[in-house]
Amino acid sequence: MHTHISSARRAESGLVWAAAIGIPILLVAPAIWNGYPLLQWDTGGYLARWYEGYLVPSRSTVFGLYLTFGEGSSFWINLGIQALTTLWILQLTLRVLGMSEPRRLLWIGLVLAVTTALPWLVSMLLTDIFTGLSVLALFLLMLHGGKVSRAEKCALLVLVAFSAATHSATLAVLLGLCCLGLVAWWRLRGRISGAGLLLGWLSLVAGAGMLLAANFALSRELAWTPGGYGVTFGRMLQDGIVAQYLRDHCGREKFKLCPYRNELPATADRFLWGHSMFDTLGRFKGLDDEMKTIVQGSLREYPAWQAKAALAATAKQLAMVATGEGINGWVAHTYGIIERYIPSQTRPMRAAHQQRWELDFTPINYLHVPVALASVLLLAGICAWRWRQRGLDDITLLAATAVFAVLGNAFVCGVISGPHDRYGARLAWVATFALLIAAIKHHSGEDEPASHGRADRNSATPAL
């Protein structure tokens, strides 16, 4: 008997170590193969914040400082932080849902590593990995704070705050979830505690304070990261709204863009980041006020067109989930930043497979795209079915969090920046993770009793 128990404990301990070591390695496997952390065009803009000491559009100083922290390790310490944080969030989510067996963690980690963009996000020096992690961290903080220790609560709060400070779109998604939590609090008095809701909101306030403090420390400006109007202007240009506004107003107003109104590029990327009249007219510094005027004027004058364009952009963004957008050899700006400010890393960076154009995501996306799309669709269906059958139990709330996060992300990114695969891929893995949890719970017979779920839903209704 004792021998059997001892063998079982050794096997369990072996699985714990396999998960603790194997999952982080799987998550950074793309970078290990590459020989260097994966880079993206935006990486250089973040990295330069410490050296240049001024604010630039859409480049968080908080994330820039985080990258600077890992310079001495050729940024491998950043990937280590991202991999271990991902492991922790996966494990903690399973634990609070009563699924803490290391075998399950190991298998779920393996499935996510093979079928989703997760390892590519972890292996990349970009803010995207923190979008999905912060959604799960906010779910744990607001709905399961009673199941985690005080130290874990503090760590979750810091993770959400840091993630919110790294990118305005992530902050917007988290803000939307907090607003939903506030509305649901009246209905789910027994499921969402006031303390959990307060911690969720405090984490966003802390993130905003973190960003303002970092901006002031680096630039001596107590200001938000600039560039919101410029990015939105690009999306409106892509939809043809800017050209129409210029045609309607250039006869009586003198905009710098008026002479170019018939030569505007077809896409926001070509206008903002290619060689266009945007460079000639001074980029963000030279056109910021004009872009703000055009954006605000277009919203007033073409509300129906704007609403239709926003709906179309959101729908298009929901369908764009391919892995690997921007991870190729064409990241000259980032190469230039590293060569200028960290010349010691030029050789290993240039030796990486990415810089030799040896990355092809076409075969990977034959698997990743259908898995991502199916995960979101199935999870939405499961969420609706479970709510009707079981009420708002733990799995239903996890599914709802993931679905609303995907929808919110599609709206924020599609409407403000324009649809890109990168924006969809950074959250699709959360839907796959939630779907795996729901499937395991259902097929293992470990679901909460249906009567308990219905009681939650029915008893919650009068609270409205």
Side-chain angles (χ1 to χ4, degrees), residues 393-405:
D393 62 5
D394 287 342
I395 304 303
T396 308
L397 289 171
L398 174 63
T401 299
V403 169
F404 279 117

Side-chain angles (χ1 to χ4, degrees), residues 73-113:
S73 67
S74 297
F75 305 107
W76 288 102
I77 193 170
N78 300 97
L79 300 195
I81 291 170
Q82 290 166 195
L84 292 175
T85 302
T86 303
L87 172 65
W88 172 57
I89 290 295
L90 295 179
Q91 181 273 333
L92 190 59
T93 304
L94 293 176
R95 195 187 88 199
V96 301
L97 296 175
M99 302 171 61
S100 58
E101 298 88 342
R103 187 186 304 274
R104 286 178 172 174
L105 174 61
L106 189 59
W107 277 108
I108 287 176
L110 178 61
V111 171
L112 292 176

Side-chain angles (χ1 to χ4, degrees), residues 42-355:
D42 295 349
T43 304
Y46 291 109
L47 185 59
R49 302 289 43 82
W50 170 257
Y51 296 98
E52 296 177 350
Y54 56 84
L55 306 181
V56 299
S58 303
R59 300 293 177 262
S60 164
T61 53
V62 172
F63 192 72
L65 290 173
Y66 163 76
L67 290 183
T68 303
F69 170 73
E71 279 182 16
S73 67
S74 297
F75 305 107
W76 288 102
I77 193 170
N78 300 97
L79 300 195
I81 291 170
Q82 290 166 195
L84 292 175
T85 302
T86 303
L87 172 65
W88 172 57
I89 290 295
L90 295 179
Q91 181 273 333
L92 190 59
T93 304
L94 293 176
R95 195 187 88 199
V96 301
L97 296 175
M99 302 171 61
S100 58
E101 298 88 342
R103 187 186 304 274
R104 286 178 172 174
L105 174 61
L106 189 59
W107 277 108
I108 287 176
L110 178 61
V111 171
L112 292 176
V114 172
T115 65
T116 74
L118 184 56
W120 298 94
L121 299 174
V122 172
S123 296
M124 183 167 52
L125 298 179
L126 203 59
T127 64
D128 291 5
I129 181 57
F130 293 104
T131 305
L133 293 179
S134 62
V135 166
L136 292 172
L138 189 64
F139 166 78
L140 294 169
L141 196 62
M142 292 179 65
L143 292 170
H144 295 281
K147 299 178 182 178
V148 299
S149 68
R150 182 176 298 179
E152 287 170 328
K153 282 183 187 177
C154 291
L156 289 169
L157 192 150
V158 170
L159 175 58
V160 174
F162 172 77
S163 302
T166 63
H167 203 286
S168 294
T170 299
L171 173 60
V173 172
L174 296 174
L175 180 61
L177 291 176
C178 280
C179 289
L180 284 173
L182 186 60
V183 172
W185 178 66
W186 297 98
R187 186 182 183 94
L188 306 173
R189 295 297 178 94
R191 307 295 294 186
I192 300 179
S193 68
L197 188 64
L198 179 60
L199 284 175
W201 282 97
L202 282 177
S203 66
L204 299 192
V205 173
M210 191 184 296
L211 181 60
L212 291 172
N215 286 352
F216 182 77
L218 285 184
S219 69
R220 297 302 172 191
E221 292 184 54
L222 190 61
W224 200 257
T225 304
Y229 282 105
V231 175
T232 305
F233 177 92
R235 195 272 301 167
M236 291 185 182
L237 177 145
Q238 193 164 286
D239 291 331
I241 295 173
V242 169
Q244 184 61 52
Y245 187 88
L246 291 174
R247 284 194 292 268
D248 291 345
H249 289 265
C250 281
R252 58 182 184 274
E253 297 181 59
K254 293 184 179 179
F255 290 115
K256 296 177 185 178
L257 283 168
C258 283
Y260 303 96
R261 62 185 181 274
N262 296 321
E263 305 169 22
L264 295 173
T267 67
D269 286 343
R270 286 179 57 191
F271 177 77
L272 294 172
W273 316 116
H275 299 293
S276 72
M277 65 286 298
F278 188 58
D279 296 333
T280 306
L281 298 174
R283 299 188 60 77
F284 290 99
K285 187 175 182 180
L287 280 176
D288 193 54
D289 290 339
E290 183 165 311
M291 291 191 295
K292 178 179 178 180
T293 299
I294 293 174
V295 167
Q296 293 178 341
S298 298
L299 288 169
R300 288 193 304 269
E301 296 187 24
Y302 317 122
W305 190 354
Q306 293 280 10
K308 182 179 178 181
L311 183 62
T314 301
K316 186 176 181 181
Q317 180 60 74
L318 285 170
M320 295 182 70
V321 293
T323 298
E325 183 185 36
I327 309 176
N328 51 45
W330 191 72
V331 287
H333 178 257
T334 295
Y335 298 158
I337 292 296
I338 291 177
E339 290 171 350
R340 182 185 309 168
Y341 296 121
I342 323 172
S344 62
Q345 294 193 29
T346 299
R347 180 175 294 179
M349 176 191 68
R350 289 292 185 183
H353 290 285
Q354 179 184 358
Q355 280 64 259

